[in-house]
């Protein structure tokens, strides 16, 4: 059985593990590796390496830093097949989806190759006689990135390229179910010429996260995961003096107006609800059908969902893989059972799906539940599975009321052919990322990504301009260079007064 180590100070590191965690292929149900869990001493070692490396890295010329980022971008491209295969084996998503997440992550590396532009400051001359002022941004120091299982390459890439390019050292804590992409990233950074200690990976469970949150050698934390853990990270991290951004869970809604192109909407809703088995924070688990279009819309979505081929992620023609583990599958089936018992209509039922040759995999088929009550857990909880709930509203006002009553506010979309309605929705909706006829409105890397309400604890969104701000501190420098000329100018100014 393969053992997955940590990566500290430019090399694999075994150290003194506090335990091991099995890494399981969700498509077969079989264990594929043992992940070493870091002890407090291992974390201390990673922090010490990062602190040693950070000062010199922050003073490394921007031209060198951007050049390393450019090489890293090329290396990720060259190794994307290897990385995608790791993701399929540990996460279960299909190969093209794994390639897609690496591409989206690589966009942040693209942005980091131009960090010299993003870091340009301001300069004013003669704010007083012979006095100038300029502003600059300097790195915060050592940054920890705590990551969820569902995007093993992309979410860490939302963090480390900008943190590193702005002059910080980084410690990534991958999810225990999907650690290998982070280790490959570490090897690629080394090959790209990044100095040892600037990028480190430590794996572990909640005890390790607790250690990170309290560690005096860590200055800032980027967290992406579920809301209950985001809340812990935000509260404990900030109470230990750290800068924290904590992106939480989601329950994204799309309103479908009666004037929408229902064929277009149904096709895109099906892809958004069931892609990656619904295990995306920007997945679309809820549709609000307005003005009596519900039955027609449900039939059309079902027609698309029935064409989705569920199977092992590396197999040809597979659109959707398994969910992450047996517990997740059981929880999702329980939510569908409960909705059915409450009287909802199961328009498409994926509960009994078995994939031939992969009977032990954690597969579920696409499931559509119509007429869901707003107090049913399948509506109010984050399902994080291939399930679409349809609720009904008579008017736009009722529909936006439903969307905005969700405690989450990650993404939200509307399908309409009326520009005025689309514009009004974009302004009315309480969510950080909004789509008009775009069901998964994930911003490109040169914009920032983040939600509102329980989908984001902390102030700043991740990557893009807000990411640069998060990983840097502002400084304003006021300068005067006394000389005979400036002295004389000051005196004559005072005489005139
Ligand atoms: P999770 O919250 O269970 O785990 C995230 C990280 O926190 C992992 O590294 C895990 O080891 C650690 N962790 C788990 N429980 C902990 C605890 N009690 N104390 C301290 N640390 C703990 O999330 P997950 O199941 O890995 O990922 C799915 C969740 O992430 C979903 O809720 C999804 O919406 C969310 N997510 C959000 C975004 C976003 O951008 N908002 C993006 C991706 C995923």
């Amino acid at each position: 059985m393969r053992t997955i180590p940590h990566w500290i100070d430019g090399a694999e590191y075994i150290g003194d593990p506090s335990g091991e965690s099995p890494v399981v292929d969700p498509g077969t149900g079989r264990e594929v590796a043992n992940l070493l869990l870091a002890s407090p001493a291992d974390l201390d070692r990673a922090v010490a390496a990062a602190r040693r490396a950070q000062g010199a890295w922050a003073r490394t010329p921007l031209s060198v830093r951007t050049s390393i980022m450019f090489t890293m971008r090329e290396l990720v491209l060259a190794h994307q097949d290897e990385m995608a295969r790791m993701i399929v084996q540990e996460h279960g998503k299909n190969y093209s989806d794994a390639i897609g997440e690496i591409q989206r992550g690589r966009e942040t590396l693209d942005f980091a190759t131009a960090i010299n532009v993003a870091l340009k400051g301001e300069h004013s001359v003669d704010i007083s006689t012979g006095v100038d002022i300029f502003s600059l941004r300097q790195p915060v120091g050592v940054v920890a990135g705590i990551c969820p299982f569902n995007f093993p390459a992309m979410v860490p890439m939302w963090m480390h390229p900008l943190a590193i390019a702005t002059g910080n050292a980084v410690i990534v804590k991958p999810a225990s179910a999907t650690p290998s992409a982070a280790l490959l990233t570490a090897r690629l950074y080394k090959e790209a010429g990044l100095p040892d200690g600037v990028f480190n990976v430590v794996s572990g469970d909640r005890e390790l996260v607790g250690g990170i949150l309290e560690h005096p050698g860590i200055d800032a934390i980027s967290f992406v995961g579920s809301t209950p853990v985001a809340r812990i990270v935000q509260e404990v991290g900030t109470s230990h003096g750290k800068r924290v951004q904590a992106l939480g869970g989601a329950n994204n809604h799309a309103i479908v107006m009666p004037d929408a192109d229902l064929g277009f909407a149904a096709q895109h809703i099906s892809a958004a609800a069931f892609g990656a088995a619904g295990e995306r924070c920007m997945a679309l688990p809820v549709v609000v059908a307005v003005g009596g279009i519900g039955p027609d819309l449900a039939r059309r979505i079902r027609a698309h969902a029935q064409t989705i081929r569920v199977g092992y992620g590396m197999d040809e023609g597979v659109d959707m893989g398994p969910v992450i583990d047996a517990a997740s599958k059981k929880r999702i089936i329980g939510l569908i059972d409960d909705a059915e018992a409450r009287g909802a209509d199961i328009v498409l039922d994926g509960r009994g799906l078995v994939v031939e040759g992969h009977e032990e995999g954690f597969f579920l088929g696409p499931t559509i539940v119509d007429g869901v009550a707003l107090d049913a857990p399948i509506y109010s909880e984050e399902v994080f599975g291939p399930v679409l709930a349809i609720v009904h509203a008579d008017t736009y006002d009722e529909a936006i009321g439903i969307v905005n009553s969700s405690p989450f506010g990650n993404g939200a979309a509307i399908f309409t052919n009326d520009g005025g309605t689309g514009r009004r929705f974009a302004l009315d909706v309480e969510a950080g990322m909004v789509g008009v006829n775009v069901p998964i409105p994930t911003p490109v890397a040169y914009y920032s990504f983040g939600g509102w309400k329980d989908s984001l604890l902390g102030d700043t969104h991740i990557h893009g301009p807000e990411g640069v701000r998060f990983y840097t501190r502002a400084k304003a420098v006021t300068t005067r260079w006394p000389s005979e000329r400036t002295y004389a100018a000051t005196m004559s100014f005072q005489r005139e007064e």
Side-chain angles (χ1 to χ4, degrees):
M1 185 68 60
R2 187 164 56 96
T3 295
I4 302 180
H6 315 291
W7 181 277
I8 297 176
D9 212 5
E12 289 187 354
Y13 184 74
I14 288 177
D16 178 24
S18 66
E20 290 184 355
S21 175
V23 178
V24 174
D25 181 338
T28 62
R30 281 197 290 271
E31 197 175 322
V32 292
N34 269 328
L35 177 70
L36 300 182
L37 305 179
S39 64
D42 298 336
L43 175 62
D44 284 344
R45 190 181 179 94
V47 174
R51 292 221 79 82
R52 263 196 315 273
Q54 194 266 326
W57 175 243
R59 289 187 299 278
T60 300
L62 272 172
S63 55
V64 177
R65 283 192 256 156
T66 51
S67 157
I68 289 173
M69 285 296 147
F70 191 84
T71 310
M72 181 62 182
R73 183 216 180 264
E74 295 299 291
L75 284 171
V76 170
L77 187 58
H79 288 264
Q80 67 176 5
D81 173 65
E82 185 185 354
M83 195 177 278
R85 287 170 188 273
M86 291 170 167
I87 294 171
V88 173
Q89 187 179 55
E90 294 177 359
H91 176 281
K93 65 179 70 175
N94 70 349
Y95 179 78
S96 66
D97 215 33
I99 291 284
E101 79 152 280
I102 297 165
Q103 285 172 349
R104 290 309 303 263
R106 219 179 54 231
E107 286 178 12
T108 309
L109 278 164
D110 294 349
F111 186 80
T113 62
I115 203 70
N116 43 0
V117 178
L119 282 179
K120 274 161 72 176
E122 299 158 313
H123 195 159
S124 303
V125 296
D126 285 337
I127 57 164
S128 184
T129 306
V131 179
D132 303 336
I133 187 167
F134 65 94
S135 68
L136 69 155
R137 300 198 71 92
Q138 291 184 302
V140 289
V142 172
V143 174
I146 303 169
C147 304
F149 78 83
N150 66 322
F151 283 110
M154 183 184 77
V155 166
M157 282 198 237
W158 285 352
M159 305 168 179
H160 55 76
L162 289 192
I164 290 173
T166 52
N168 300 280
V170 171
I171 299 169
V172 165
K173 202 299 268 179
S176 300
T178 54
S180 292
L183 267 298
L184 174 56
T185 302
R187 290 203 297 276
L188 298 183
Y189 267 129
K190 181 148 181 126
E191 198 178 330
L194 190 72
D196 293 347
V198 177
F199 182 80
N200 307 277
V201 180
V202 287
S203 289
D205 48 22
R206 65 180 62 183
E207 278 72 34
L208 175 65
V209 173
I212 290 172
L213 300 180
E214 298 186 6
H215 204 294
I218 294 174
D219 303 291
I221 295 170
S222 293
F223 170 88
V224 177
S226 61
T227 295
V229 183
R231 196 160 273 128
I232 295 170
V233 168
Q234 160 78 0
E235 286 173 7
V236 180
T238 53
S239 74
H240 285 79
K242 298 177 201 325
R243 188 178 277 207
V244 176
Q245 56 178 183
L247 282 75
N251 195 16
N252 308 316
H253 292 50
I255 294 175
V256 183
M257 296 298 291
D259 63 33
D261 177 337
L262 290 193
F264 175 88
Q267 182 188 351
H268 286 263
I269 288 168
S270 170
F274 305 122
E279 289 176 329
R280 292 175 176 150
C281 66
M282 290 296 277
L284 184 63
V286 183
V287 157
V288 187
V290 179
I293 58 167
D296 187 12
L297 184 65
R299 268 194 305 277
R300 288 169 186 259
I301 299 172
R302 184 182 58 191
H304 286 286
Q306 281 170 328
T307 67
I308 292 171
R309 211 181 127 203
V310 182
Y312 191 78
M314 289 307 298
D315 289 350
E316 195 66 30
V318 162
D319 303 304
M320 188 182 118
V323 295
I324 187 68
D325 54 25
S328 225
K329 177 172 172 173
K330 189 169 168 221
R331 178 183 57 77
I332 295 163
I333 290 176
L335 288 168
I336 303 167
D337 291 346
D338 173 78
E340 190 173 33
R342 289 167 187 260
D345 180 16
I346 312 294
V347 176
L348 184 63
D349 191 349
R351 284 174 289 189
L353 181 109
V354 176
V355 174
E356 216 182 311
H358 292 282
E359 289 77 6
E360 304 305 314
F362 313 127
F363 292 97
L364 275 170
T367 298
I368 301 172
V369 188
D370 193 8
V372 169
L374 297 187
D375 60 353
I378 203 167
Y379 171 76
S380 55
E381 291 177 15
E382 181 180 25
V383 178
F384 225 54
V387 179
L388 177 69
I390 301 180
V391 298
H392 302 262
D394 290 331
T395 62
Y396 168 85
D397 285 333
E398 191 189 342
I400 191 80
I402 292 171
V403 177
N404 283 347
S405 65
S406 169
F408 298 104
N410 214 39
I414 190 166
F415 286 89
T416 177
N417 271 330
D418 182 86
T421 307
R423 181 176 185 277
R424 186 173 159 202
F425 175 76
L427 299 179
D428 287 347
V429 73
E430 294 173 10
M433 294 168 285
V434 180
V436 178
N437 297 313
V438 176
I440 303 192
T442 305
V444 287
Y446 44 95
Y447 282 72
S448 299
F449 179 111
W452 285 14
K453 303 196 283 189
D454 284 358
S455 295
L456 180 87
L457 290 297
D459 302 320
T460 50
H461 288 194
I462 207 162
H463 72 60
E466 295 218 12
V468 174
R469 275 194 285 280
F470 182 75
Y471 295 126
T472 55
R473 290 179 290 189
K475 188 177 269 181
V477 182
T478 306
T479 64
R480 173 192 281 146
W481 297 99
S483 69
E484 245 169 59
R485 233 177 68 219
T486 52
Y487 181 70
T490 311
M491 294 313 287
S492 74
F493 175 69
Q494 283 172 354
R495 271 197 303 276
E496 278 163 24
E497 273 185 335

